[in-house]
mmCIF file of all heavy atoms in Angstrom:
data_model
loop_
_atom_site.group_PDB
_atom_site.id
_atom_site.type_symbol
_atom_site.label_atom_id
_atom_site.label_comp_id
_atom_site.label_asym_id
_atom_site.label_seq_id
_atom_site.Cartn_x
_atom_site.Cartn_y
_atom_site.Cartn_z
ATOM 1 N N PHE D 1212 -3.475 27.975 38.078
ATOM 2 C CA PHE D 1212 -2.453 29.020 37.963
ATOM 3 C C PHE D 1212 -2.812 30.053 36.896
ATOM 4 O O PHE D 1212 -2.636 31.255 37.107
ATOM 5 C CB PHE D 1212 -1.096 28.388 37.635
ATOM 6 C CG PHE D 1212 0.008 29.372 37.435
ATOM 7 C CD1 PHE D 1212 0.702 29.889 38.516
ATOM 8 C CD2 PHE D 1212 0.361 29.806 36.160
ATOM 9 C CE1 PHE D 1212 1.731 30.811 38.337
ATOM 10 C CE2 PHE D 1212 1.383 30.718 35.965
ATOM 11 C CZ PHE D 1212 2.068 31.224 37.064
ATOM 12 N N ASP D 1213 -3.298 29.603 35.755
ATOM 13 C CA ASP D 1213 -3.491 30.481 34.602
ATOM 14 C C ASP D 1213 -4.426 31.645 34.903
ATOM 15 O O ASP D 1213 -4.136 32.797 34.558
ATOM 16 C CB ASP D 1213 -4.037 29.679 33.416
ATOM 17 C CG ASP D 1213 -3.200 28.449 33.138
ATOM 18 O OD1 ASP D 1213 -3.453 27.420 33.791
ATOM 19 O OD2 ASP D 1213 -2.294 28.529 32.287
ATOM 20 N N LEU D 1214 -5.566 31.349 35.540
ATOM 21 C CA LEU D 1214 -6.532 32.408 35.836
ATOM 22 C C LEU D 1214 -5.922 33.478 36.737
ATOM 23 O O LEU D 1214 -6.095 34.675 36.515
ATOM 24 C CB LEU D 1214 -7.764 31.800 36.508
ATOM 25 C CG LEU D 1214 -8.846 31.220 35.599
ATOM 26 C CD1 LEU D 1214 -9.911 30.543 36.430
ATOM 27 C CD2 LEU D 1214 -9.460 32.296 34.723
ATOM 28 N N ILE D 1215 -5.201 33.027 37.763
ATOM 29 C CA ILE D 1215 -4.597 33.973 38.699
ATOM 30 C C ILE D 1215 -3.564 34.833 37.989
ATOM 31 O O ILE D 1215 -3.512 36.056 38.175
ATOM 32 C CB ILE D 1215 -3.961 33.220 39.880
ATOM 33 C CG1 ILE D 1215 -5.009 32.343 40.568
ATOM 34 C CG2 ILE D 1215 -3.339 34.179 40.874
ATOM 35 C CD1 ILE D 1215 -4.429 31.400 41.588
ATOM 36 N N TYR D 1216 -2.741 34.199 37.156
ATOM 37 C CA TYR D 1216 -1.668 34.929 36.480
ATOM 38 C C TYR D 1216 -2.219 35.965 35.508
ATOM 39 O O TYR D 1216 -1.733 37.094 35.439
ATOM 40 C CB TYR D 1216 -0.759 33.946 35.743
ATOM 41 C CG TYR D 1216 0.418 34.607 35.064
ATOM 42 C CD1 TYR D 1216 1.573 34.920 35.782
ATOM 43 C CD2 TYR D 1216 0.383 34.916 33.712
ATOM 44 C CE1 TYR D 1216 2.655 35.530 35.165
ATOM 45 C CE2 TYR D 1216 1.451 35.516 33.086
ATOM 46 C CZ TYR D 1216 2.589 35.826 33.817
ATOM 47 O OH TYR D 1216 3.649 36.436 33.205
ATOM 48 N N VAL D 1217 -3.241 35.597 34.749
ATOM 49 C CA VAL D 1217 -3.756 36.497 33.719
ATOM 50 C C VAL D 1217 -4.653 37.584 34.315
ATOM 51 O O VAL D 1217 -4.585 38.749 33.902
ATOM 52 C CB VAL D 1217 -4.531 35.700 32.650
ATOM 53 C CG1 VAL D 1217 -5.189 36.637 31.642
ATOM 54 C CG2 VAL D 1217 -3.598 34.734 31.934
ATOM 55 N N LEU D 1218 -5.479 37.236 35.311
ATOM 56 C CA LEU D 1218 -6.501 38.161 35.782
ATOM 57 C C LEU D 1218 -6.070 39.054 36.942
ATOM 58 O O LEU D 1218 -6.380 40.248 36.967
ATOM 59 C CB LEU D 1218 -7.762 37.387 36.187
ATOM 60 C CG LEU D 1218 -8.484 36.639 35.059
ATOM 61 C CD1 LEU D 1218 -9.724 35.951 35.592
ATOM 62 C CD2 LEU D 1218 -8.857 37.586 33.939
ATOM 63 N N THR D 1219 -5.391 38.496 37.934
ATOM 64 C CA THR D 1219 -5.163 39.281 39.151
ATOM 65 C C THR D 1219 -3.718 39.322 39.631
ATOM 66 O O THR D 1219 -3.378 40.171 40.450
ATOM 67 C CB THR D 1219 -6.021 38.722 40.300
ATOM 68 O OG1 THR D 1219 -5.615 37.376 40.585
ATOM 69 C CG2 THR D 1219 -7.498 38.750 39.951
ATOM 70 N N ARG D 1220 -2.866 38.381 39.181
ATOM 71 C CA ARG D 1220 -1.494 38.286 39.688
ATOM 72 C C ARG D 1220 -1.459 38.197 41.222
ATOM 73 O O ARG D 1220 -0.592 38.759 41.875
ATOM 74 C CB ARG D 1220 -0.653 39.467 39.217
ATOM 75 C CG ARG D 1220 -0.549 39.623 37.712
ATOM 76 C CD ARG D 1220 0.269 38.510 37.103
ATOM 77 N NE ARG D 1220 0.350 38.604 35.650
ATOM 78 C CZ ARG D 1220 1.383 39.135 35.007
ATOM 79 N NH1 ARG D 1220 2.415 39.605 35.680
ATOM 80 N NH2 ARG D 1220 1.393 39.172 33.682
ATOM 81 N N GLY D 1221 -2.442 37.517 41.786
ATOM 82 C CA GLY D 1221 -2.477 37.331 43.234
ATOM 83 C C GLY D 1221 -3.163 38.429 43.996
ATOM 84 O O GLY D 1221 -3.423 38.294 45.193
ATOM 85 N N GLY D 1222 -3.461 39.537 43.375
ATOM 86 C CA GLY D 1222 -4.094 40.674 44.051
ATOM 87 C C GLY D 1222 -5.601 40.581 44.009
ATOM 88 O O GLY D 1222 -6.165 39.590 43.532
ATOM 89 N N PRO D 1223 -6.283 41.593 44.520
ATOM 90 C CA PRO D 1223 -5.710 42.750 45.224
ATOM 91 C C PRO D 1223 -5.374 42.415 46.681
ATOM 92 O O PRO D 1223 -6.121 41.697 47.334
ATOM 93 C CB PRO D 1223 -6.851 43.779 45.162
ATOM 94 C CG PRO D 1223 -8.098 42.933 45.111
ATOM 95 C CD PRO D 1223 -7.734 41.690 44.347
ATOM 96 N N ILE D 1224 -4.257 42.916 47.147
ATOM 97 C CA ILE D 1224 -3.774 42.708 48.531
ATOM 98 C C ILE D 1224 -3.748 41.219 48.846
ATOM 99 O O ILE D 1224 -4.246 40.772 49.883
ATOM 100 C CB ILE D 1224 -4.635 43.473 49.556
ATOM 101 C CG1 ILE D 1224 -5.014 44.855 49.054
ATOM 102 C CG2 ILE D 1224 -3.877 43.600 50.879
ATOM 103 C CD1 ILE D 1224 -5.957 45.603 49.954
ATOM 104 N N ASP D 1225 -3.202 40.416 47.918
ATOM 105 C CA ASP D 1225 -3.061 38.969 48.096
ATOM 106 C C ASP D 1225 -4.401 38.266 48.295
ATOM 107 O O ASP D 1225 -4.450 37.153 48.843
ATOM 108 C CB ASP D 1225 -2.139 38.650 49.275
ATOM 109 C CG ASP D 1225 -0.702 39.049 49.005
ATOM 110 O OD1 ASP D 1225 -0.205 38.736 47.917
ATOM 111 O OD2 ASP D 1225 -0.078 39.685 49.883
ATOM 112 N N ALA D 1226 -5.489 38.863 47.843
ATOM 113 C CA ALA D 1226 -6.804 38.255 48.023
ATOM 114 C C ALA D 1226 -6.994 37.012 47.169
ATOM 115 O O ALA D 1226 -7.878 36.193 47.448
ATOM 116 C CB ALA D 1226 -7.900 39.272 47.707
ATOM 117 N N THR D 1227 -6.196 36.861 46.092
ATOM 118 C CA THR D 1227 -6.322 35.684 45.234
ATOM 119 C C THR D 1227 -5.009 34.885 45.169
ATOM 120 O O THR D 1227 -4.822 34.097 44.251
ATOM 121 C CB THR D 1227 -6.732 36.094 43.804
ATOM 122 O OG1 THR D 1227 -5.753 37.006 43.276
ATOM 123 C CG2 THR D 1227 -8.080 36.779 43.796
ATOM 124 N N THR D 1228 -4.126 35.123 46.121
ATOM 125 C CA THR D 1228 -2.866 34.381 46.146
ATOM 126 C C THR D 1228 -3.092 32.987 46.704
ATOM 127 O O THR D 1228 -3.635 32.826 47.796
ATOM 128 C CB THR D 1228 -1.824 35.107 47.014
ATOM 129 O OG1 THR D 1228 -1.561 36.392 46.436
ATOM 130 C CG2 THR D 1228 -0.527 34.321 47.075
ATOM 131 N N MET D 1229 -2.686 31.978 45.931
ATOM 132 C CA MET D 1229 -2.750 30.592 46.389
ATOM 133 C C MET D 1229 -1.362 29.970 46.290
ATOM 134 O O MET D 1229 -0.435 30.576 45.749
ATOM 135 C CB MET D 1229 -3.789 29.817 45.581
ATOM 136 C CG MET D 1229 -5.219 30.256 45.911
ATOM 137 S SD MET D 1229 -6.478 29.274 45.104
ATOM 138 C CE MET D 1229 -6.351 29.868 43.434
ATOM 139 N N LEU D 1230 -1.218 28.756 46.804
ATOM 140 C CA LEU D 1230 0.112 28.167 46.937
ATOM 141 C C LEU D 1230 0.829 28.048 45.608
ATOM 142 O O LEU D 1230 2.033 28.306 45.516
ATOM 143 C CB LEU D 1230 0.000 26.801 47.607
ATOM 144 C CG LEU D 1230 -0.392 26.804 49.080
ATOM 145 C CD1 LEU D 1230 -0.540 25.380 49.604
ATOM 146 C CD2 LEU D 1230 0.638 27.560 49.911
ATOM 147 N N ASN D 1231 0.111 27.652 44.579
ATOM 148 C CA ASN D 1231 0.737 27.465 43.275
ATOM 149 C C ASN D 1231 1.328 28.776 42.761
ATOM 150 O O ASN D 1231 2.476 28.820 42.292
ATOM 151 C CB ASN D 1231 -0.308 26.935 42.289
ATOM 152 C CG ASN D 1231 0.312 26.069 41.222
ATOM 153 O OD1 ASN D 1231 1.496 25.751 41.266
ATOM 154 N ND2 ASN D 1231 -0.494 25.669 40.258
ATOM 155 N N TYR D 1232 0.549 29.845 42.855
ATOM 156 C CA TYR D 1232 1.032 31.141 42.380
ATOM 157 C C TYR D 1232 2.082 31.711 43.320
ATOM 158 O O TYR D 1232 3.027 32.373 42.873
ATOM 159 C CB TYR D 1232 -0.128 32.125 42.232
ATOM 160 C CG TYR D 1232 0.313 33.443 41.651
ATOM 161 C CD1 TYR D 1232 0.536 33.577 40.287
ATOM 162 C CD2 TYR D 1232 0.539 34.551 42.463
ATOM 163 C CE1 TYR D 1232 0.961 34.774 39.741
ATOM 164 C CE2 TYR D 1232 0.962 35.755 41.933
ATOM 165 C CZ TYR D 1232 1.174 35.860 40.571
ATOM 166 O OH TYR D 1232 1.608 37.041 40.035
ATOM 167 N N LEU D 1233 1.945 31.464 44.616
ATOM 168 C CA LEU D 1233 2.927 31.958 45.578
ATOM 169 C C LEU D 1233 4.306 31.367 45.309
ATOM 170 O O LEU D 1233 5.323 32.059 45.403
ATOM 171 C CB LEU D 1233 2.480 31.636 47.002
ATOM 172 C CG LEU D 1233 3.400 32.114 48.132
ATOM 173 C CD1 LEU D 1233 3.506 33.636 48.130
ATOM 174 C CD2 LEU D 1233 2.904 31.602 49.475
ATOM 175 N N SER D 1234 4.346 30.090 44.972
ATOM 176 C CA SER D 1234 5.612 29.441 44.647
ATOM 177 C C SER D 1234 6.270 30.113 43.440
ATOM 178 O O SER D 1234 7.479 30.378 43.442
ATOM 179 C CB SER D 1234 5.388 27.957 44.367
ATOM 180 O OG SER D 1234 6.578 27.343 43.922
ATOM 181 N N TYR D 1235 5.474 30.398 42.409
ATOM 182 C CA TYR D 1235 6.001 31.085 41.220
ATOM 183 C C TYR D 1235 6.505 32.470 41.577
ATOM 184 O O TYR D 1235 7.590 32.884 41.148
ATOM 185 C CB TYR D 1235 4.904 31.174 40.150
ATOM 186 C CG TYR D 1235 5.145 32.241 39.123
ATOM 187 C CD1 TYR D 1235 6.029 32.034 38.061
ATOM 188 C CD2 TYR D 1235 4.506 33.473 39.216
ATOM 189 C CE1 TYR D 1235 6.261 33.027 37.127
ATOM 190 C CE2 TYR D 1235 4.729 34.470 38.285
ATOM 191 C CZ TYR D 1235 5.608 34.240 37.241
ATOM 192 O OH TYR D 1235 5.828 35.226 36.320
ATOM 193 N N ARG D 1236 5.730 33.216 42.363
ATOM 194 C CA ARG D 1236 6.101 34.597 42.683
ATOM 195 C C ARG D 1236 7.387 34.665 43.500
ATOM 196 O O ARG D 1236 8.269 35.492 43.223
ATOM 197 C CB ARG D 1236 4.956 35.274 43.451
ATOM 198 C CG ARG D 1236 5.173 36.761 43.661
ATOM 199 C CD ARG D 1236 3.916 37.428 44.164
ATOM 200 N NE ARG D 1236 3.597 37.022 45.527
ATOM 201 C CZ ARG D 1236 2.514 37.451 46.181
ATOM 202 N NH1 ARG D 1236 1.656 38.253 45.580
ATOM 203 N NH2 ARG D 1236 2.286 37.070 47.415
ATOM 204 N N ILE D 1237 7.507 33.784 44.485
ATOM 205 C CA ILE D 1237 8.721 33.781 45.307
ATOM 206 C C ILE D 1237 9.932 33.381 44.468
ATOM 207 O O ILE D 1237 11.014 33.962 44.592
ATOM 208 C CB ILE D 1237 8.552 32.830 46.508
ATOM 209 C CG1 ILE D 1237 7.509 33.379 47.476
ATOM 210 C CG2 ILE D 1237 9.879 32.636 47.239
ATOM 211 C CD1 ILE D 1237 7.181 32.440 48.616
#
Side-chain angles (χ1 to χ4, degrees):
F1212 177 83
D1213 309 85
L1214 276 174
I1215 303 170
Y1216 183 82
V1217 174
L1218 296 181
T1219 63
R1220 301 291 178 98
I1224 319 175
D1225 292 314
T1227 58
T1228 298
M1229 290 185 286
L1230 290 177
N1231 210 7
Y1232 184 79
L1233 181 62
S1234 174
Y1235 160 80
R1236 188 169 69 182
I1237 292 174

